[in-house]
Amino acid sequence: MNVTWTLGFPTGNEKGQYLTMDLGGTKLRVCWIKLNQRHGQTELDQDVYQFPSAVKTSDADTLWSFIADSLQDFVGKRSLQGTAENPLPLGFTFSYPASQDYIDHGVLQTWTKGLAIKGVEGEDAAGQLRDAMAKRNLPIRLVALINDTTGAMIASAYNDPDTIVGAIFGTGCNAAYMENVGSIRKMKIDLPPDTPMAINCEYGAFDNAHRVLPRTKYDVAIDEESPKPGEQSFEKLSAGLYLGEIFRQILLDLYERQVVLKGQDATSLKQPYALDTGFLSALENDPLPGVKAQFAELLKLKPTDEELWLCHRLAEIIAIRGARLCTCGISAICRMKGIKSGHVAADGSVANKHPTFKQRWAQAMGEVLDWPQDRKEDPITITSAEDGSGIGAAVIAAMTEERARQGNMVGIRQQK
Ligand code: BGC
């Protein structure tokens, strides 16, 4: 439960031009965004920089050099003019758990989602980025470091004031919501108790001590074989990075026990992370000939129709468990805050691409929150989040600058 120093929802009056940058697992997206208030058209121009795969396991210097070079390329190509006195304001979406003493600061607690870059954990990622930009004399000022969930919540609330939560159901899983400062007991914050503050729940790390949720032997194996055993336990049961891998582990076990695919060469099936969530979606939803073709192409295997039905059911069970766990995270927030209605702005590959995720999620919400069976509509619904890592980062940067202009510097370190 990390404080974010994003104080409240946007008014909708935010405007101005911002540079944003989103550090994903395999790529960096840089945007130049013009906010024109809630009812105006937001303008966005972007470039995507693919990580050389070596960056994922490299060191801090390699990472920040790659990022600063990409920023330099982006602003250079567009002749964006920042000066030492008037640098370009930057919102940085850093979708990893970070402790923030200020909004423009963020100590990485641990890498998640398979990243293993040395020299960043325990360090201030914002400071490391600032140093790399300073080395290149880039006229850019980091205004806010944000989580993707906070970005999704704020970008969506910019247009839709009914937004209550921002959630990511993608490679990782997590959500953010708005808390009153007075209820944040773990730290003393010099603001009136009813001031709203976005909280990044980081609930992908829920139950790391394995005291609550039952795990199968396949879940245990995935955890033990991961770069970070014992971390992100909840995420490993429910997020997109792992759903295909759970399926692969089960199918391989059935193969090794000679229950399925007897006598076939399963070399490709033995490859960790050979299958993604897209494969599970296809298994559940595509007609048999299409699924057979995918098995042949990806795994060089020829399952019988009966074996395919087994795979279909397995894919279904894995996705149902994942969706229902995703419901638990959000319904817990709603219960704790007494939220009875509103929109959960969701983003991520599972939310957007798995065809039955949203429906399963909604059904489980009704069960957990005891909604009447004969309801005409669901009081809390999942909506497609606006672009949190782009527009969300820009709106938060605009909110932060406005706050600084008004002299409210609580949780802001570096403003000129
Ligand atoms: C990270 C979160 C992030 C989530 C969704 C998790 O692995 O710890 O910070 O919000 O993935 O991207």
Side-chain angles (χ1 to χ4, degrees), residues 2 94-98 108-114 146-150 167-176 200-205 232 235 239 242 347-348:
N2 289 340
F94 186 63
S95 308
Y96 304 92
L108 176 65
Q109 293 162 339
T110 179
W111 284 119
T112 61
K113 297 178 282 203
I146 70 159
N147 188 256
D148 50 356
T149 54
T150 316
I168 305 292
F169 307 121
T171 308
C173 79
N174 188 18
N200 162 17
C201 297
E202 286 298 336
Y203 65 51
Q232 298 299 101
E235 185 158 281
Y242 305 100
D347 206 348

Side-chain angles (χ1 to χ4, degrees), residues 262-372:
K262 280 187 207 150
Q264 298 194 37
D265 175 4
T267 311
S268 303
L269 185 62
K270 291 185 182 151
Q271 187 61 39
Y273 292 86
L275 303 174
D276 62 12
T277 309
F279 186 74
L280 292 203
S281 306
L283 269 178
E284 265 202 76
N285 297 287
D286 288 6
L288 276 194
V291 177
K292 273 192 178 158
Q294 288 214 30
F295 257 98
E297 192 188 322
L298 282 171
L299 298 172
K300 318 275 175 283
L301 289 170
K302 280 194 188 153
T304 62
D305 285 2
E306 216 181 359
E307 287 168 346
L308 277 181
W309 279 114
L310 172 87
C311 292
H312 168 92
R313 181 68 185 129
L314 263 181
E316 196 173 57
I317 293 171
I318 294 166
I320 290 176
R321 183 183 73 162
R324 291 176 75 85
L325 284 172
C326 288
T327 296
C328 293
I330 307 297
S331 57
I333 295 172
C334 295
R335 271 183 162 179
M336 177 188 65
K337 292 296 297 169
I339 297 172
K340 298 275 184 261
S341 64
H343 296 159
V344 174
D347 206 348
S349 50
V350 179
N352 294 333
K353 295 203 184 121
H354 195 287
T356 41
F357 173 84
K358 287 185 179 164
Q359 181 224 323
R360 287 172 178 153
W361 181 90
Q363 185 187 333
M365 278 297 273
E367 290 172 37
V368 177
L369 297 177
D370 265 337
W371 292 338

